[in-house]
Amino acid sequence: MKNEISYYRLYLTHLLAEWGEENKVSADLLDERADAAEEEYDNARRDGLTVDQAQERAMAVLLDGLGD
């Protein structure tokens, strides 16, 4: 695991805990989702999107398929 704190990992961990699903998702999946969301945010900002637009895209990647 990385030594840095990931906003997206923390957010997803908190959300899963609220749903009572925290024990159903592996640490590897949390890391993969957080990394993908961070990458999406960075790419969106490089593409000229606003902070809000980039955040929206990152959250879509982070939460894709969860809670269905």
Side-chain angles (χ1 to χ4, degrees):
M1 188 172 170
K2 300 176 188 176
N3 289 332
E4 61 191 47
I5 296 173
S6 166
Y7 165 78
Y8 294 108
R9 191 179 201 287
L10 289 173
Y11 181 88
L12 185 54
T13 300
H14 175 75
L15 190 62
L16 290 169
E18 282 186 356
W19 293 343
E21 303 285 326
E22 66 272 18
N23 295 325
K24 296 181 182 178
V25 177
S26 70
D28 287 341
L29 179 62
L30 287 172
D31 289 338
E32 288 172 19
R33 289 288 182 117
D35 290 346
E38 289 169 11
E39 185 175 337
E40 182 65 28
Y41 179 87
D42 290 343
N43 288 339
R45 290 295 289 151
R46 274 193 284 280
D47 290 343
L49 274 66
T50 67
V51 170
D52 289 340
Q53 291 169 324
Q55 178 71 356
E56 190 173 308
R57 284 179 48 175
M59 293 305 275
V61 168
L62 184 70
L63 302 175
D64 183 43
L66 298 177
D68 290 339

